[in-house]
Amino acid sequence: AQSVTQLGSHVSVSEGALVLLRCNYSSSVPPYLFWYVQYPNQGLQLLLKYTSAATLVKGINGFEAEFKKSETSFHLTKPSAHMSDAAEYFCAVSHTGTASKLTFGTGTRLQVTL
Amino acid sequence: NAGVTQTPKFQVLKTGQSMTLQCAQDMNHNSMYWYRQDPGMGLRLIYYSASEGTTDKGEVPNGYNVSRLNKREFSLRLESAAPSQTSVYFCASRRTAGGEKLFFGSGTQLSVL
């Protein structure tokens, strides 16, 4: 079985501040991990993914995430928030196999204030 | 390229009515998925098709049926709609499973009265 837990359904930061969105995973086999972003009234877009190469993964729009096996975590960070980062962010887990499913967390809504 | 196309974008049903949500992808992807999104619950997998000719249940399959019509198309049917099925439905596809990313459609907002 696989699952992800996102701590904090809402996070608010000031423009220019550090963004930290937390994700912990559970998987019985080595996982693939993803962060997706959803802007209002749109589908989800991939921000970044971990597929067992480098543990520090860089994505689009200045976001990055670090895979920490010992902590079963894959937290998303961005050094300096921008107003355009306001959106909902989803962590997801998958694993190898043609019948593999992608399981999503419950999401974290990021608010960026002036 | 259109990517993943879902129709309709909006739908209002009365309890007990049936309808089919259509999804088509033009990326020659093998795997296709149907998710529903509800506030505070993230995206939950309804059904998926790992490859043409196969379908499997996800987390919340009750009240739904699917058809993988061909490699491009994957439809979701509500036989007798219930208010609990009010949700936003997303279709998604990817080339294979594992580490491949999902491509999402723009969603169908369904209200069941």
Side-chain angles (χ1 to χ4, degrees), chain A residues 92-109:
Chain A
V93 62
S94 180
H95 57 79
T96 190
T98 56
S100 175
K101 301 171 287 188
L102 192 64
T103 302
F104 286 86
T106 53
T108 298
R109 185 167 297 280

Side-chain angles (χ1 to χ4, degrees), chain B residues 8-89:
Chain B
K9 292 191 183 300
F10 301 94
Q11 184 71 49
V12 179
L13 294 177
K14 295 180 179 178
T15 298
Q17 287 185 316
S18 63
M19 79 161 295
T20 299
L21 279 65
Q22 306 287 352
C23 176
Q25 51 89 9
D26 61 2
M27 296 172 282
N28 201 34
H29 286 172
N30 290 308
S31 301
M32 298 186 72
Y33 305 78
W34 276 105
Y35 287 89
R36 59 177 289 173
Q37 183 178 23
D38 302 289
M41 305 193 76
L43 278 80
R44 293 180 292 168
L45 183 64
I46 305 171
Y47 272 93
Y48 66 106
S49 172
S51 60
E52 186 179 358
T54 69
T55 60
D56 286 286
K57 295 178 180 180
E59 302 170 62
V60 289
N62 291 345
Y64 305 95
N65 285 301
V66 291
S67 295
R68 182 75 183 265
L69 304 170
N70 47 54
K71 193 171 186 179
R72 290 186 63 249
E73 298 172 287
F74 188 41
S75 62
L76 179 71
R77 183 161 178 83
L78 287 70
E79 291 291 352
S80 178
S84 61
Q85 294 177 305
T86 293
S87 186
V88 180
Y89 292 85

